[in-house]
Amino acid sequence: MNIKFRLILMNFMQFFVWGAWLLTIGAYWFQNKHWSGAQFGAIFSTMGISAIFMPALTGIIADRYINAEKLYGVMHILGSLTLFSLPLVTNPTTFFWVILLNMVFYMPTLSLSITVAYSALKRANIDVVKEYPPIRIYGTIGFIAALWTVSITHSETTSNQFYIASAVALTLGIFAFTLPKCPPLFKKTGDKSFVNMLGLNAFSLFKTPRFAIFFAFSLLLGAALQLTNAYGDTFLHDFNNIPAYKDSLAMKYPAIIMSISQVSETLFILAIPFVLRKFGIKYVMLISMLAWVLRFGLFAFGDPAGGLWMIILSCIVYGMAFDFFNISGSLFVETQIGPEIRASAQGLFMMMVNGFGAFFGSILSGFLIDKFFTLADHSKNWHGIWLSFAGYALVIAIIFPFVFRYKHTPELERAIENA
């Protein structure tokens, strides 16, 4: 089995595990368990809490002590066990702790999968910037396959979604031990400083202005990503309470409608080498921010009948919003740092996006929705919710070009030119 195909399988299963429940857990929470919005915000904050420390910690371990692919496999096996136990939970407090434990195991696998892929490609003398995006597409295809599986089996509001995710996570955990070896590359030196001894070398990137600003906006955009993940599917499900929309196609298969976002991803991933070469990381990030404005704004005015085209267009725009920042951001980090801190640096990037960004986005959005956008009958003012999210993304997009004063470095230009 060649390297590319093995990495394709890895990416497919990596995102199938997440896609099986990430967008539908809200439907399970609100439609099945009937628990509160504030408590649901806390559930989604588990991604942020775990990503604040776990990707960076596992990155240090992979750079110094354990092969990244082995650590990756162990994390997925442990994650499988927690997913399998979730349906046994009968109260929101316990659910929070179990999902937090699952996130502790899952979130570092996002950056570890990138580390394993980049390492394997480079060791095989394969151009990372050119060849990784087409491989990463299969992660999105895996996410789509998971959504379709959950939707076709009508598991969106049932515990079956967790059993499906658990089975695939266990398979991936075992498969990981067959992946190309990715040994620690950190070289021991005579440096006995506190930072070096703890393996915190990647944090020195914050001393570089372009990285400090890049990571700060990673946090802000990470919050936007979690907003759409947390509320997109339950937003569609709420139209079921309106008789005029109850029998519409979008109400019968909401997860399939949402999966258009992932189909869009596959197209925009392929565009990444071109847009990076043409516009550079600064403007690719700006395009991503403006796409988030459209994503939320279209949701604000869409509905499953006459406004279905706006919901579909919002899902198409999502591919640009997500890929142009997340995938391009990981490539930017890869081309700017040495291989000895590859895993740590990718973990740091993941910490800002899915750690601090997800945490603050989940907690604040849950509070604001309960405080200002939940009506007396407990229904939600989705128009106001999505408009407020769109305004948040717009403010970020306006500030960013004036703060991130960065031009292509020769290293990044050469890497992109090879694509």
Side-chain angles (χ1 to χ4, degrees):
M1 194 185 297
N2 66 41
I3 289 175
K4 289 184 182 179
F5 185 65
R6 289 155 78 186
L7 295 178
I8 283 171
L9 283 179
M10 178 190 73
N11 274 277
F12 181 90
M13 288 189 283
Q14 170 72 41
F15 286 92
F16 190 105
V17 172
W18 214 9
W21 64 267
L22 180 66
L23 301 187
T24 52
I25 192 173
Y28 176 77
W29 182 276
F30 291 109
Q31 310 295 325
N32 187 318
K33 295 299 184 181
H34 306 288
W35 291 330
S36 80
Q39 289 172 314
F40 181 66
I43 291 300
F44 254 74
S45 74
T46 60
M47 299 178 195
I49 294 170
S50 58
I52 286 172
F53 64 95
M54 283 304 295
L57 177 60
T58 54
I60 292 168
I61 294 171
D63 280 336
R64 287 172 169 258
Y65 307 111
I66 301 174
N67 281 29
E69 82 282 358
K70 293 180 181 178
L71 184 59
Y72 177 74
V74 169
M75 290 290 171
H76 271 298
I77 291 171
L78 294 173
S80 171
L81 296 175
T82 57
L83 284 168
F84 192 82
S85 67
L86 269 174
L88 303 175
V89 177
T90 58
N91 65 83
T93 301
T94 304
F95 197 95
F96 169 84
W97 290 109
V98 177
I99 201 73
L100 174 60
L101 184 60
N102 177 67
M103 288 293 94
V104 164
F105 297 135
Y106 183 82
M107 293 311 292
T109 65
L110 293 172
S111 54
L112 284 172
S113 67
I114 294 172
T115 299
V116 171
Y118 288 174
S119 174
L121 292 173
K122 286 194 170 184
R123 287 165 72 89
N125 295 317
I126 298 173
D127 189 325
V128 171
V129 175
K130 180 179 180 180
E131 299 296 339
Y132 178 70
I135 290 171
R136 173 58 180 77
I137 279 178
Y138 287 90
T140 303
I141 293 172
F143 201 100
I144 296 169
L147 282 173
W148 280 62
T149 300
V150 169
S151 186
I152 291 172
T153 59
H154 300 290
S155 302
E156 293 166 302
T157 61
T158 76
S159 58
N160 287 340
Q161 59 188 285
F162 304 117
Y163 291 131
I164 293 169
S166 175
V168 177
L170 180 61
T171 303
L172 177 54
I174 296 170
F175 174 74
F177 288 88
T178 72
L179 291 170
K181 295 188 183 300
C182 182
L185 295 178
F186 186 83
K187 295 180 177 63
K188 292 184 178 180
T189 67
D191 185 357
K192 296 183 179 180
S193 67
F194 180 78
V195 169
N196 186 65
M197 287 189 294
L198 292 183
L200 303 177
N201 307 68
F203 283 83
S204 63
L205 294 173
F206 280 103
K207 295 180 181 178
T208 306
R210 70 173 183 274
F211 267 110
I213 295 172
F214 171 77
F215 285 136
F217 278 90
S218 297
L219 183 157
L220 296 172
L221 286 183
L225 172 61
Q226 294 311 315
L227 295 176
T228 194
N229 285 341
Y231 300 106
D233 194 61
T234 195
F235 157 65
L236 287 182
H237 272 284
D238 268 8
F239 281 107
N240 259 326
N241 300 322
I242 303 175
Y245 302 129
K246 196 172 184 64
D247 295 323
S248 65
L249 181 65
M251 290 300 91
K252 292 179 180 178
Y253 301 103
I256 291 179
I257 295 296
M258 293 299 291
S259 74
I260 295 172
S261 299
Q262 281 64 51
V263 175
S264 171
E265 275 191 59
T266 64
L267 301 176
F268 284 108
I269 286 175
L270 290 175
I272 286 173
F274 168 77
V275 294
L276 273 175
R277 181 173 61 245
K278 182 74 173 178
F279 302 108
I281 188 66
K282 176 177 180 176
Y283 291 102
V284 170
M285 288 177 67
L286 180 58
I287 291 170
S288 171
M289 295 170 191
L290 294 173
W292 280 118
V293 178
L294 283 175
R295 163 71 163 177
F296 298 138
L298 287 165
F299 264 174
F301 294 97
D303 63 63
L308 181 59
W309 68 270
M310 284 187 276
I311 292 177
I312 291 175
L313 183 57
S314 175
C315 291
I316 293 172
V317 168
Y318 172 84
M320 181 187 296
F322 180 85
D323 290 333
F324 277 22
F325 179 72
N326 281 51
I327 310 300
S328 297
S330 74
L331 287 170
F332 172 72
V333 172
E334 173 67 17
T335 56
Q336 297 294 298
I337 52 89
E340 67 278 0
I341 60 168
R342 174 185 290 133
S344 302
Q346 292 295 346
L348 193 60
F349 175 55
M350 199 62 60
M351 177 185 78
M352 300 306 293
V353 176
N354 290 310
F356 288 109
F359 176 77
F360 290 118
S362 298
I363 294 297
L364 291 177
S365 64
F367 171 78
L368 291 173
I369 288 173
D370 265 10
K371 183 76 172 177
F372 300 106
F373 299 106
T374 299
L375 306 179
D377 61 356
H378 301 293
S379 64
K380 293 175 176 58
N381 173 13
W382 287 111
H383 179 73
I385 290 171
W386 293 123
L387 278 183
S388 65
F389 290 171
Y392 167 78
L394 181 61
V395 171
I396 295 173
I398 292 172
I399 296 173
F400 177 74
F402 299 100
V403 177
F404 191 63
R405 300 180 181 277
Y406 174 72
K407 295 182 180 180
H408 271 328
T409 64
E411 292 83 1
L412 185 57
E413 287 175 350
R414 282 196 295 271
I416 295 172
E417 285 168 1
N418 289 331

